[in-house]
Amino acid sequence: MKNRKIFLLNNISDYGLREFRDGYTITHDFNQAHGALVRSQKMHDMEFPQSLRAIARAGVGLNNIPIDRCTEQGIVVMNTPGANANAVKEMVLTGLMLASRDIIGGIEWVRANADDPDIAARTEKEKKAFAGNEVIGKKIGVIGLGAIGIIVANMCVSLGMEVYGYDPYISVNAAWRLKREIRHAETMEELAEVCDFITVHVPAVDSSRDLLNKLTFARMKDGVKILNFSREFVVNDEDIAAALESGKVAKYVTDFPGIRTVKMKNTIVTPHLGASTEEAEDNCAKLAVEELQDYLDNGNISHSANFPDINAGKCKSESRIACLHRNVPNMLGQLTAIMGEDQCNIANMQNASRDKYAYTLIDIDSRISDEALEKIRSISGMLRVRIVK
């Protein structure tokens, strides 16, 4: 049994850590770690030891991890999409209700008048100021139909809302999970023009920065209500402030406090509570541990940010070799040629690429020689080679 050492950069739920099998130990020395578990700790200024093979993020956002540097060092970075989806969905539901009815204003009025002996009678007169509207029958646009966007869209259907979904990159599997009542918007503009509410659920990539801005606000209905439980930079601060001031946007609910957002008119700001539930932290930790073990033990990659996903199951042959490399011509030809010279019979081989990088798993019926292994490591474009079994 190999002794694999795992370093924790943050407190990780014991519910997840209990998933580690025999042969795994938690180390307090990062320089000895084979794998790392992280939540929010910033890793950009950290030096990575040669022993480090993988980083698993117990959550979704990866802006605290230097992805490009990890890739060049042959370190696989994985996250846990979907593990916290229900927690975020429930926060979206909360935000939807807070935007529809002035619940916060009502609570604040009660507290301000707590010493009034006639508060019960006054309540009946004053409550109409906080009445708001029901969401049933209203139109809501869901931008981004990933793990969270899908269940938000389906939830809104169950609430009796007319739901429009927009995602030019939606997967086939995701599309199958959407309720049939959800309308497909061909463009974001089409969705913006008709919806009373808009909620955004997109990944943290350069193309999602300022996704909602003065141009998209101009296309929206007057009095639209916007929910942002995605990323702080998805909505342009300056443009949303102007839209709120003019009344174009009636309410903005965001889970990301910022210097500007906390002072904006008609804005409800929550302290990044979206995925902060005990259940979500447990689920993320459990999935992160499972991903880390599957890669270290079997070479399988899932939910990677920098290399293609591959699942070859457990190796049933004598040995398995894992090769992280650049996506260049004749890489497979060179690999198989070296193995042929070493009299290695290939029982199974899987290869996949992702942009400039690729991953190859090779099961062979014998042990590869040290000389052949060094030849593979010396191939131009090879980033990392290890014997998994």
Side-chain angles (χ1 to χ4, degrees):
M1 179 69 69
K2 294 182 180 180
N3 180 21
R4 306 194 189 279
K5 298 179 181 180
I6 307 299
F7 186 82
L8 310 181
L9 285 105
N10 295 101
N11 289 327
I12 303 295
S13 163
D14 287 338
Y15 178 83
L17 296 180
R18 288 196 295 269
E19 293 295 311
F20 277 123
R21 297 184 284 272
D22 290 341
Y24 281 83
T25 57
I26 303 301
T27 180
H28 298 289
D29 185 356
F30 187 50
N31 290 321
Q32 294 184 1
H34 300 104
L37 288 169
V38 63
R39 289 173 58 201
S40 58
Q41 176 70 38
K42 295 186 183 302
M43 303 181 69
H44 291 275
D45 295 330
M46 296 179 66
E47 293 294 327
F48 300 135
Q50 183 61 33
S51 60
L52 189 66
R53 299 168 185 166
I55 299 169
R57 160 79 161 96
V60 180
L62 293 164
N63 57 333
N64 59 318
I65 303 172
I67 304 294
D68 292 343
R69 183 154 59 92
C70 288
T71 305
E72 287 299 314
Q73 292 184 229
I75 300 169
V76 175
V77 179
M78 298 169 282
N79 65 353
T80 58
N84 58 13
N86 187 70
V88 179
K89 179 202 75 175
E90 291 183 359
M91 276 298 291
V92 174
L93 174 60
T94 302
L96 187 61
M97 296 304 148
L98 293 176
S100 304
R101 307 177 69 172
D102 191 9
I103 298 168
I104 294 176
I107 292 171
E108 291 175 345
W109 181 88
V110 170
R111 286 178 175 169
N113 293 274
D115 296 329
D116 187 343
D118 296 322
I119 189 170
R122 286 192 60 202
T123 294
E124 295 306 311
K125 295 179 181 179
E126 301 291 342
K127 67 180 183 181
K128 61 177 180 278
F130 315 108
N133 301 100
E134 299 177 16
V135 300
I136 189 170
K138 302 298 189 300
K139 295 181 176 69
I140 185 168
V142 182
I143 298 174
L145 297 169
I148 295 171
I150 287 172
I151 61 174
V152 167
N154 289 341
M155 172 191 72
C156 291
V157 171
S158 298
L159 291 173
M161 303 184 79
E162 192 174 323
V163 184
Y164 291 75
Y166 171 72
D167 189 337
Y169 308 107
I170 188 170
S171 68
V172 174
N173 288 336
W176 275 106
R177 292 168 55 199
L178 287 171
K179 290 187 176 182
R180 63 182 180 181
E181 294 90 344
I182 295 169
R183 302 189 181 194
H184 172 218
E186 294 284 350
T187 64
M188 196 163 66
E189 290 74 21
E190 175 188 341
L191 175 150
E193 290 171 355
V194 300
C195 289
D196 306 294
F197 296 85
I198 292 176
T199 180
V200 58
H201 304 281
V202 296
V205 294
D206 289 341
S207 59
S208 63
R209 184 173 296 276
D210 294 335
L211 185 68
L212 300 188
N213 54 55
K214 61 184 179 182
L215 297 178
T216 50
F217 295 143
R219 299 292 294 267
M220 295 178 187
K221 294 176 64 174
D222 292 342
V224 66
K225 295 165 183 173
I226 296 174
L227 287 73
N228 179 15
F229 290 88
S230 179
R231 297 289 187 277
E232 62 273 23
F233 57 74
V234 167
V235 179
N236 182 281
D237 277 356
E238 184 175 345
D239 294 349
I240 188 68
L244 286 162
E245 193 64 37
S246 69
K248 180 68 177 184
V249 175
K251 192 75 71 176
Y252 178 44
V253 183
T254 178
D255 201 26
F256 308 101
I259 295 174
R260 294 179 64 95
T261 54
V262 295
K263 298 179 181 179
M264 286 182 190
K265 176 182 179 181
N266 293 328
T267 299
I268 299 170
V269 185
T270 51
H272 202 185
L273 297 176
S276 297
T277 65
E278 182 178 338
E279 294 87 350
E281 291 185 6
D282 286 349
N283 291 338
C284 287
K286 182 175 184 292
L287 182 54
V289 168
E290 290 173 350
E291 291 172 347
L292 199 56
Q293 286 187 124
D294 199 20
Y295 177 66
L296 294 177
D297 289 350
N298 303 307
N300 298 322
I301 297 178
S302 57
H303 303 133
S304 175
N306 54 348
F307 287 100
D309 289 0
I310 280 185
N311 190 335
K314 293 184 178 181
C315 181
K316 297 179 181 179
S317 301
E318 176 64 23
S319 182
R320 173 174 287 177
I321 301 170
C323 304
L324 297 166
H325 53 87
R326 300 187 194 283
N327 186 18
V328 293
N330 198 35
M331 179 60 75
L332 294 184
Q334 294 179 81
L335 284 170
T336 56
I338 292 171
M339 290 187 176
E341 292 172 1
D342 201 48
Q343 301 299 308
C344 293
N345 181 55
I346 296 176
N348 182 50
M349 181 169 67
Q350 290 199 30
N351 167 268
S353 63
R354 180 174 179 176
D355 299 326
K356 298 178 181 179
Y357 300 93
Y359 185 44
T360 303
L361 274 181
I362 307 172
D363 292 352
I364 54 178
D365 291 335
S366 59
R367 302 297 292 183
I368 190 170
S369 69
D370 291 340
E371 182 182 0
L373 202 59
E374 284 306 310
K375 286 182 180 179
I376 292 175
R377 289 194 173 109
S378 66
I379 295 175
S380 177
M382 188 64 66
L383 299 172
R384 189 163 203 156
V385 179
R386 69 185 179 101
I387 298 177
V388 178
K389 176 187 174 184

